[in-house]
Amino acid sequence: MRAITIRRGAALVGAVVLVMLTSPLGYSQEPRVINVTAERFAFTPSHITVKRGTIVELRLRSEDTNHGFHIAGSEFNAIIPKRGRGDATLIFRADYAGHYTFECSKMCGAGHTIMRGTLTVEE
């Protein structure tokens, strides 16, 4: 009987910890979800505009091979699995207004160097 009580107590503590870890502490807004597709040396959309202070969730998917996604001048870098193998997600707060280049950070073929786009953060 005592073992059951301990297991239930541990399960409750585990559930509380899970809720604490998954709650976006300090964020009072829902993220703006933007789906980005990588294919044949292009990102779609290739121009993304958000307001300063927005929490941005980029859902990255490939329609062909593995790609990378890097926002120049930042630590944001993700590998996008090839088609049918899932997707990647980057979540960040757009704190500073400006124009930022994003690019493929994984060699993906002859047109790799032209695979880029722009993220604009407006006031």
Side-chain angles (χ1 to χ4, degrees):
M1 186 72 118
R2 182 177 169 104
I4 293 171
T5 304
I6 293 172
R7 285 189 196 128
R8 285 184 186 163
L12 178 60
V13 170
V16 170
V17 169
L18 180 61
V19 169
M20 288 172 40
L21 291 176
T22 59
S23 297
L25 300 175
Y27 297 142
S28 61
Q29 62 177 291
E30 291 294 316
R32 176 167 172 211
V33 176
I34 302 169
N35 294 303
V36 178
T37 302
E39 180 181 26
R40 295 189 182 167
F41 315 119
F43 290 107
T44 305
S46 61
H47 301 287
I48 299 169
T49 302
V50 298
K51 295 284 187 190
R52 187 174 67 80
T54 301
I55 298 169
V56 179
E57 180 176 329
L58 297 177
R59 293 186 184 164
L60 310 165
R61 174 166 290 197
S62 174
E63 290 299 325
D64 52 18
T65 190
N66 290 339
H67 291 282
F69 187 93
H70 172 68
I71 300 175
S74 77
E75 74 275 6
F76 297 109
N77 190 28
I79 298 299
I80 308 169
K82 64 181 168 180
R83 180 177 52 191
R85 301 273 172 100
D87 53 14
T89 301
L90 285 177
I91 301 173
F92 60 94
R93 183 190 305 267
D95 286 329
Y96 302 102
H99 300 282
Y100 304 91
T101 299
F102 57 85
E103 59 195 3
C104 183
S105 57
K106 183 178 184 315
M107 178 54 77
C108 58
H112 168 74
T113 58
I114 62 168
M115 191 171 179
R116 53 185 71 225
T118 305
L119 169 67
T120 300
V121 180
E122 298 177 333
E123 283 295 330

